[in-house]
């Protein structure tokens, strides 16, 4: 096979896609902003879901499927979710065979814990660093294929644009070496984008600093449809910090952590009172809004600030060390208190994007030959993601995208080698010209400060509670920032190791997607999953059981809507004060 | 009162340029760490003398000490800048790049050699394929706990920086890769190819270059028992050397 497939992104989705491609005999060029082992996936603490039923609680893939659809407020297309859930146990076993150090039961089986929105223990974990363990295992498998000459790795290279042929097919990419800042073009027969989430649009979040979403924004600006952008998950518990909002994993609640504030001088466990059936284990959107209500509306936050207690001081210290050591370490390291003794203080933070590039069931975007997998696409979580479902979705999507890309390249009548060289030369020239234009920016605005401003507006107006007038004002603000962007100064023009020029480029992508998120939220006049509008507090299936599709135009996103495939489970009202009524598995 | 923190940062615009120290003053805030100070400098790239300068380049990503990217010398000690709290540091605070890796710019170095070393020792398990073959072997809790300690390595390079035997004249593979051999060789499936990894450690720049200075373990932010792994593999490679493929 002479063909070439490019994978952009070395997180879980990208590495899994690479392995599948290489295993299929396909040559792969793998690009990543950072060494793959430093990708954002390393941050995942809580674990990965699969209905392995180790505890004999009667869990099944159907229950997991139903929890996922229900937890996602019925916005996800059901067939791909079902396929993912059914594959989940075998994905865990595969990672187990690769040597991931999953925690064990006394008998030596893979141990499981419970995360929010689930009635069963189905989250497999490796200490508090599940994501890191998964990524290290996959990265080493990729290294094995590298040793066999099937994979070529380009770490610390940034994807800058797609090369599209005269039929509109994706035929390669232009990239920048982040050391020399030189531009190169790489031809291919298909491209898989696995570039992760866009948390940095909100300034500070639980995400890593490279999670700007710019790669997805680039694809969007070149014609790929973006779906459900307005669905942003706010995690209920993070440690507020100037540089980052550090996640305190949901596993803390899963392993017995309780959320409370003082009311009338006594601890008030408001989640347990309001949601007796799930208590502290309600899904993220529910917990986040409850905390917001207690702190902002009722003004009962700790010390009058926007903070609540997240308490594990009543748990057995040995159990804490065995299961939560990593998370507890983070708290101790960054706050200085010992959560075994003193309740932690946390507040909600932007965490995850359910929205992303629109893909079909083969993970192909609306651009032929461009695939997307992982957090950069929208397919598996609907309006709200369950804890532990993202890792499995990233791995599964990678497993689908790899083979589907091979199938696609086999169906092509011309390989990239038969395309005119001109196509690649002009793409490279165009990117070089844009790069030179960035270096020429010598205005007075500082890109990092513009980013901070963008983040503040987004957090204040486009997160937990959304109001139409404020969304409108935010969109106007983003446009103002985009005007001011033109007056950025990038300083002295030395290219080598320059970080300000690449950041400035990413900032444009962040602003572009910020509009997709904000306007998508403004238009969706209902409340569903992570999207909550006091003006429209109920879910409105009649008008809004629809996927949002945003298409790029220079003056702003154009929106359209498409129906959701609800072929397996009929929508029902989502509530967590009583136990979830099971859906019936119909033939 | 507006407190300011003084940073003295070693700067260098490329590997061929001469380096120099530049001083910055950054307004203090509570729970401040080194990374957030560097972020403030990005937003206001003016040095202590009031001159506009280029923002300091440094690597970071996760900001919670799990990706390893932000490792540098802080007051002469190798550590992660995201978990370095200002309140616990002596001032002025001196920041410098790692010295055992090629410099890129300012505080950024190139640690690709660490990943290449993992390739040298085949730090992977040879699975037959990704098709569904059920779970791997059962593993006792005790064994998992020991393995987990080793699997927390984030390839930060602190151990390499601290090791006197890692330097420009040596090919020493360093402690991190050795610990990864220990990790994979102790896995029931990984053990099936353990000789291959032992042989790699017996080659040039292998475990014999360890001078037993034991600095590595002291600086490892993940408290990985590096000297234990090194001792264990020293024995294993010796046996391998004596008994060859028959050795146990
Ligand atoms: C703190 C935290 C904890 C979490 N815990 C859990 C959990 O316990 N369970 C769970 O299921 N989910 C969890 N999540 C979510 C989950 O970690 C992510 O959604 C998932 O890891 C995303 O994987 P990915 O492969 O899509 O992307 P990433 O791991 O983000 O990888 C993206 C890759 O793309 C590359 N890239 C990006 N842009 C470019 C570009 N322009 N050019 C070249 N390369 C590029 C990057 O270098 C990187 O290699 C957590 C998230 C956070 C923030
Ligand atoms: S062994 Fe420790 S010091 Fe060395 S690279 Fe790994 S985490 Fe860093
Ligand atoms: S930024 Fe990842 S270790 Fe500090």
């Amino acid at each position: 096979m002479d063909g070439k497939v490019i994978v952009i992104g070395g997180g879980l989705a990208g590495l899994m896609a690479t392995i599948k491609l290489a295993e299929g005999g396909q040559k792969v060029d793998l690009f990543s902003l950072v060494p793959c082992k430093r990708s954002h996936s390393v941050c995942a603490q809580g674990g990965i879901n699969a209905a392995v039923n180790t505890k004999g609680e009667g869990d099944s893939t159907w229950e997991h499927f139903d929890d996922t659809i229900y937890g996602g407020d019925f916005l996800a297309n059901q067939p791909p979710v079902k396929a993912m859930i059914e594959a989940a146990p075998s994905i865990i076993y595969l990672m187990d065979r690769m040597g991931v150090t999953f925690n064990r039961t006394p008998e030596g089986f893979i141990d499981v814990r419970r995360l929010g929105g689930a009635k069963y223990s189905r989250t497999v974990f490796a200490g508090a660093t599940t994501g890191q363990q998964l990524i290290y295992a996959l990265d080493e498998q990729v290294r094995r294929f590298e040793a066999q000459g099937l994979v070529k790795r380009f770490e610390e290279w940034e994807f800058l644009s797609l090369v599209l042929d005269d039929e509109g097919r994706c035929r390669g990419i232009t990239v920048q070496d982040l050391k020399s800042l030189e531009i190169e073009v790489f031809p291919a027969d298909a491209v898989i984008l696995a570039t992760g989430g866009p948390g940095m649009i909100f300034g500070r979040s639980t995400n890593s600093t490279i999670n700007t979403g710019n790669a997805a924004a680039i694809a969007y600006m070149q014609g790929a449809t973006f779906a459900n952008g307005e669905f942003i998950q706010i995690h209920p518990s993070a440690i507020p910090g100037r540089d980052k909002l550090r996640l305190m994993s949901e596993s803390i609640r899963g392993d017995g952590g309780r959320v409370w504030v003082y009311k009338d001088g006594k601890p008030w466990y408001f989640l347990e009172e309001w949601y007796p059936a799930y208590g502290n284990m309600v899904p993220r959107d529910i917990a986040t809004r409850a905390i917001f209500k207690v702190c902002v509306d009722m003004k009962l936050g700790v010390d009058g600030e926007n903070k609540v207690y997240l308490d594990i001081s009543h748990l057995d210290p040995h159990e804490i060390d065995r299961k939560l050591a990593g998370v507890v370490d983070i708290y101790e390291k960054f706050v200085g208190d010992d959560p075994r003794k003193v309740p932690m203080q946390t507040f909600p933070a932007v965490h995850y994007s359910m929205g992303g590039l629109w893909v079909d069931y083969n993970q192909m975007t609306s651009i032929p030959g461009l695939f997307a997998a992982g957090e950069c696409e929208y397919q598996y979580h609907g309006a709200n993601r369950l804890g532990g479902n993202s890792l499995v979705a990233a791995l599964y999507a990678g497993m689908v995208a790899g083979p589907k890309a091979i199938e696609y390249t086999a169906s092509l009548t011309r390989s990239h080698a038969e395309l005119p060289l001109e196509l690649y030369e002009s793409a490279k020239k165009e990117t070089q010209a844009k790069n030179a234009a960035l270096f020429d920016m010598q205005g007075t605005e500082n890109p990092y400060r513009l980013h901070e401003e963008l983040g503040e507006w987004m957090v204040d107006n486009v997160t937990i509670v959304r109001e139409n007038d404020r969304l409108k004002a935010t969109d106007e603000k983003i446009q103002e920032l985009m005007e001011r962007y033109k007056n950025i100064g990038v300083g002295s023009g030395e290219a080598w190791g320059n970080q300000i020029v690449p950041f400035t480029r990413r900032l444009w992508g962040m602003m572009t997607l910020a509009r997709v998120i904000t306007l998508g939220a403004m238009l969706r006049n209902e409340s569903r999953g992570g999207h909550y509008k006091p003006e429209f507090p109920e879910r409105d299936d009649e008008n809004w059981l629809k996927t949002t599709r945003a298409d790029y135009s220079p003056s702003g996103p154009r929106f359209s809507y498409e129906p959701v495939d609800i072929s397996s489970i009929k929508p029902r009202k989502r509530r967590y004060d009583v136990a979830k009524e099971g859906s019936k598995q119909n033939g | 009162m507006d407190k300011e923190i003084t940073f003295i940062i070693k700067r260098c615009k490329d590997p061929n340029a001469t380096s120099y120290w530049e001083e910055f003053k950054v307004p203090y805030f509570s729970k401040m760490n080194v990374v957030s100070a560097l972020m403030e400098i990005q937003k206001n790239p003016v040095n202590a003398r009031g001159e506009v300068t280029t923002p300091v380049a440094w690597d970071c990503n996760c900001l919670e000490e799990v990706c390893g990217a932000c490792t540098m010398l802080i007051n002469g000690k190798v550590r992660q800048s995201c978990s370095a709290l200002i309140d616990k540091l002596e001032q002025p605070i001196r920041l410098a790049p790692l010295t055992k890796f090629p410099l890129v710019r300012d505080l950024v170095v190139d640690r690709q050699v660490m990943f290449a070393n993992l390739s040298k020792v085949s730090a992977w398990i040879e699975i037959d394929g990704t098709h569904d073959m059920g779970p791997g072997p059962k593993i006792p809790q005790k064994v998992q706990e020991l393995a987990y300690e080793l699997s927390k390595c984030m390839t930060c390079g602190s151990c390499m920086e601290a090791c006197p035997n890692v330097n420009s004249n040596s090919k020493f593979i360093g402690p991190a890769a050795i610990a990864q051999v220990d990790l994979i060789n102790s896995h029931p499936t990984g053990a099936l190819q353990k000789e291959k990894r032992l042989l790699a450690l017996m080659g040039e720049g292998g475990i014999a270059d360890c001078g037993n200075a034991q600095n590595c373990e002291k600086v490892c932010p993940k408290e990985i028992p590096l000297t234990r792994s090194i001792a264990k593999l020293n024995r294993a490679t010796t046996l391998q050397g004596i008994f060859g493929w028959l050795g146990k």
Side-chain angles (χ1 to χ4, degrees):
Chain A
M1 210 183 302
D2 300 334
K4 172 69 64 65
V5 174
I6 284 175
V7 176
I8 310 169
L12 293 183
L15 291 175
M16 184 57 102
T18 303
I19 290 168
K20 280 289 183 184
L21 288 162
E23 205 176 48
Q26 176 68 58
K27 285 208 167 125
V28 186
D29 287 346
L30 169 62
F31 293 86
S32 172
L33 280 176
V34 292
C36 298
K37 280 193 160 81
R38 309 202 199 286
S39 294
H40 170 64
S41 289
V42 293
C43 287
Q45 308 165 347
I48 171 167
N49 290 347
V52 286
N53 196 27
T54 317
K55 300 272 190 231
E57 299 166 333
D59 196 13
S60 65
T61 50
W62 179 266
E63 283 299 328
H64 185 190
F65 174 46
D66 187 61
D67 279 350
T68 303
I69 294 298
Y70 185 76
D73 234 346
F74 294 91
L75 196 63
N77 286 320
Q78 295 180 4
V81 175
K82 188 155 184 279
M84 164 186 80
I85 301 289
E86 281 165 1
S90 66
I91 291 176
I92 300 298
Y93 297 149
L94 172 59
M95 298 313 300
D96 182 33
R97 284 169 47 222
M98 289 181 191
V100 173
T101 50
F102 288 126
N103 280 47
R104 299 285 159 168
T105 66
E107 199 183 327
F109 287 107
I110 298 172
D111 203 358
V112 282
R113 61 156 60 121
R114 209 182 131 200
L115 289 189
K119 272 298 202 188
Y120 299 97
S121 310
R122 67 165 77 95
T123 306
V124 172
F125 59 104
T129 58
T130 311
Q132 190 206 352
Q133 302 314 324
L134 294 172
I135 219 163
Y136 268 57
L138 291 173
D139 189 60
E140 286 308 310
Q141 294 296 324
V142 167
R143 219 168 284 289
R144 202 180 145 201
F145 286 117
E146 232 179 320
Q148 295 166 20
L150 278 159
V151 177
K152 253 171 120 178
R153 208 192 265 263
F154 298 84
E155 292 181 331
E156 301 181 83
W157 285 67
E158 181 158 11
F159 155 67
L160 298 190
S161 75
L162 301 169
V163 181
L164 303 177
D165 70 11
D166 51 2
E167 295 171 4
R169 289 178 189 278
C170 181
R171 292 300 200 156
I173 59 173
T174 67
V175 281
Q176 181 164 48
D177 174 344
L178 290 174
K179 279 201 203 79
S180 65
L181 262 66
E182 260 156 40
I183 309 281
E184 260 319 320
V185 62
F186 285 79
D189 300 298
V191 173
I192 300 176
L193 216 58
T195 48
M200 288 293 282
I201 291 175
F202 293 81
R204 289 170 308 158
S205 70
T206 65
N207 285 195
S208 298
T209 55
I210 56 169
N211 286 20
T212 62
N214 185 39
I218 290 168
Y220 163 71
M221 287 186 272
Q222 287 192 268
T225 301
F226 202 88
N228 288 346
E230 65 269 33
F231 290 96
I232 297 291
Q233 179 166 82
I234 317 295
H235 196 286
S237 50
I239 321 170
R242 271 273 190 125
D243 52 336
K244 180 176 192 184
L245 310 175
R246 294 184 174 83
L247 180 75
M248 288 289 101
S249 168
E250 194 164 84
S251 55
I252 296 174
R253 288 183 289 134
D255 287 331
R258 300 176 77 186
V259 177
W260 61 278
V261 291
Y262 281 107
K263 189 171 134 193
D264 308 325
K266 282 193 307 253
W268 177 38
Y269 299 92
F270 52 94
L271 289 176
E272 294 167 33
E273 183 177 311
W274 287 340
Y275 304 101
Y278 284 74
N280 294 291
M281 298 302 292
V282 288
R284 293 176 178 174
D285 54 332
I286 309 277
T288 292
R289 279 198 291 278
I291 292 168
F292 187 85
K293 185 167 167 187
V294 164
C295 293
V296 179
D297 300 345
M298 305 173 74
K299 307 253 179 282
L300 289 174
V302 176
D303 303 330
E305 289 174 34
N306 283 341
K307 283 186 291 194
V308 297
Y309 290 118
L310 174 60
D311 198 353
I312 55 169
S313 59
H314 56 286
L315 300 177
D316 170 10
H318 177 75
E319 275 300 288
I320 295 180
D321 288 341
R322 200 171 75 80
K323 288 189 175 156
L324 296 171
V327 198
V328 166
D329 274 359
I330 292 183
Y331 195 83
E332 276 189 298
K333 203 163 272 161
F334 292 97
V335 181
D337 296 338
D338 180 357
R340 294 173 199 82
K341 303 194 182 108
V342 193
M344 295 178 271
Q345 299 183 11
T346 59
F347 194 68
V350 168
H351 183 53
Y352 184 86
S353 170
M354 276 71 74
L357 291 169
W358 182 92
V359 288
D360 65 14
Y361 295 173
N362 295 334
Q363 303 293 140
M364 189 145 85
T365 67
S366 58
I367 297 177
L370 178 67
F371 295 76
E375 194 173 334
C376 68
E377 51 96 345
Y378 90 111
Q379 183 144 256
Y380 295 101
H381 311 291
N384 171 55
R385 166 177 78 85
L386 293 189
N389 263 7
S390 159
L391 297 180
V392 74
L395 291 170
Y396 177 73
M399 285 180 127
V400 174
K404 290 296 171 191
I406 295 182
E407 256 176 61
Y408 167 84
T409 56
S411 76
L412 287 172
T413 49
R414 296 182 295 177
S415 101
H416 69 265
E418 296 161 63
L419 295 174
L421 268 184
E422 222 294 290
L423 177 70
Y424 295 105
E425 276 161 14
S426 68
K428 182 171 168 181
K429 277 202 195 107
E430 192 183 322
T431 304
Q432 279 170 331
K434 281 193 186 155
N435 191 53
L438 278 172
F439 274 96
D440 286 342
M441 294 177 82
Q442 294 298 333
T444 52
E445 294 277 3
N446 175 302
Y448 299 100
R449 266 182 269 162
L450 279 188
H451 173 239
E452 192 174 47
E453 232 178 292
L454 171 72
E456 281 162 8
W457 272 79
M458 292 300 288
V459 167
D460 286 349
N461 302 299
V462 202
T463 52
I464 307 175
V465 171
R466 296 164 163 187
E467 279 156 19
N468 280 342
D469 52 346
R470 293 171 63 182
L471 293 168
K472 184 154 177 287
T474 306
D475 183 54
E476 281 156 12
K477 181 70 188 185
I478 301 168
Q479 292 181 66
E480 176 207 311
L481 293 173
M482 290 172 110
E483 263 319 299
R484 283 166 57 197
Y485 178 98
K486 295 173 188 155
N487 188 32
I488 283 177
V490 299
S492 81
E494 293 150 359
W496 182 265
N498 187 317
Q499 294 181 329
I500 188 165
V501 165
F503 182 80
T504 303
R505 183 190 293 112
R506 293 171 204 149
L507 179 60
W508 185 258
M510 287 191 261
M511 291 174 165
T512 305
L513 283 188
R515 291 199 70 195
V516 173
I517 297 168
T518 307
L519 289 172
M522 194 172 92
L523 292 171
R524 187 176 279 274
N525 279 333
E526 66 158 352
S527 292
R528 184 186 294 271
H531 171 72
Y532 175 69
K533 276 189 176 174
E535 297 157 276
F536 305 91
E538 296 297 323
R539 190 175 89 195
D540 175 0
D541 283 348
E542 203 172 309
N543 295 302
W544 288 106
L545 183 53
K546 287 181 205 159
T547 298
T548 307
R549 296 174 56 112
D551 288 294
Y552 177 76
S553 88
S555 60
R558 297 216 177 95
F559 289 94
S560 58
Y561 296 88
E562 72 182 17
V564 177
D565 182 332
I566 47 168
S567 50
S568 295
I569 304 173
K570 271 217 305 289
R572 59 191 194 277
K573 195 173 155 67
R574 183 169 170 252
R575 48 193 295 201
Y576 290 93
D577 50 345
V578 294
K580 185 190 74 172
E581 0 146 7
S583 70
K584 286 221 187 61
Q585 180 160 8
N586 43 17
Chain B
M1 193 194 68
D2 292 346
K3 199 165 118 190
E4 278 186 329
I5 308 294
T6 303
F7 286 86
I8 305 176
I9 302 178
K10 193 169 187 182
R11 311 213 44 187
C12 189
K13 63 185 177 128
D14 62 63
N16 304 317
T18 30
S19 59
Y20 59 97
W21 294 88
E22 191 165 29
E23 198 174 309
F24 293 87
K25 297 214 181 282
V26 182
Y28 172 83
F29 49 86
S30 126
K31 305 269 187 309
M32 184 178 190
N33 58 1
V34 169
V35 163
S36 46
L38 289 168
M39 286 177 170
E40 291 305 313
I41 295 174
Q42 281 183 325
K43 284 181 236 161
N44 184 26
V46 174
N47 66 22
R49 284 186 298 194
E51 300 155 347
V52 174
T53 176
T54 50
V56 179
W58 88 101
D59 259 344
C60 69
N61 193 25
C62 71
L63 302 187
E64 48 193 60
E65 207 193 72
V66 66
C67 80
C70 68
T71 311
M72 58 180 73
L73 297 175
I74 301 176
N75 288 342
K77 272 179 60 187
V78 61
R79 56 183 299 187
Q80 283 63 53
S81 50
C82 65
S83 54
L85 298 183
I86 302 296
D87 288 342
K88 296 192 181 151
L89 292 171
E90 211 171 286
Q91 292 163 28
I93 297 167
R94 285 176 175 267
L95 306 181
L98 299 181
T99 60
K100 302 286 176 76
F101 304 93
L103 182 88
V104 177
R105 179 179 183 140
D106 293 343
L107 303 171
V108 181
V109 296
D110 182 349
R111 278 167 286 181
Q112 274 299 334
V113 62
M114 293 197 70
F115 303 113
N117 287 343
L118 292 174
S119 298
K120 262 191 209 155
V121 298
S122 313
W124 51 77
I125 285 180
E126 310 240 335
I127 58 165
D128 288 344
T130 60
H131 48 289
D132 188 8
M133 303 212 286
K138 278 209 254 178
I139 294 188
Q141 279 181 344
K142 273 258 148 44
V143 175
Q144 184 273 343
E145 278 162 28
L146 286 175
Y148 184 68
E149 281 182 50
L150 301 173
S151 69
K152 283 193 296 189
C153 171
M154 56 179 180
T155 332
C156 68
S158 299
C159 53
M160 305 276 280
E161 181 70 20
C163 175
N165 298 310
V166 173
N167 58 55
S168 51
N169 301 320
S170 110
K171 293 210 160 101
F172 182 38
I173 194 165
I178 298 175
Q180 291 310 296
V181 171
D182 187 15
L183 170 67
I184 308 292
N185 278 8
S186 347
H187 186 277
T189 319
L192 302 177
Q193 274 84 27
K194 69 178 177 196
E195 289 82 7
K196 184 171 154 192
R197 296 183 204 98
L198 292 179
L199 284 176
L201 282 187
M202 290 159 74
E204 193 191 10
I207 195 164
D209 286 6
C210 168
N212 206 22
Q214 307 204 357
N215 290 358
C216 51
E217 192 164 313
K218 285 180 216 135
V219 299
C220 174
K222 298 289 137 185
E223 293 167 11
I224 294 173
L226 292 162
T227 50
R228 188 180 78 198
S229 288
I230 294 172
K232 203 167 138 194
L233 284 160
N234 245 326
R235 280 194 303 275
T237 47
T238 308
L239 288 173
Q240 176 75 24
I242 299 171
F243 298 109
W245 291 100
L246 296 172
K248 241 222 70 78

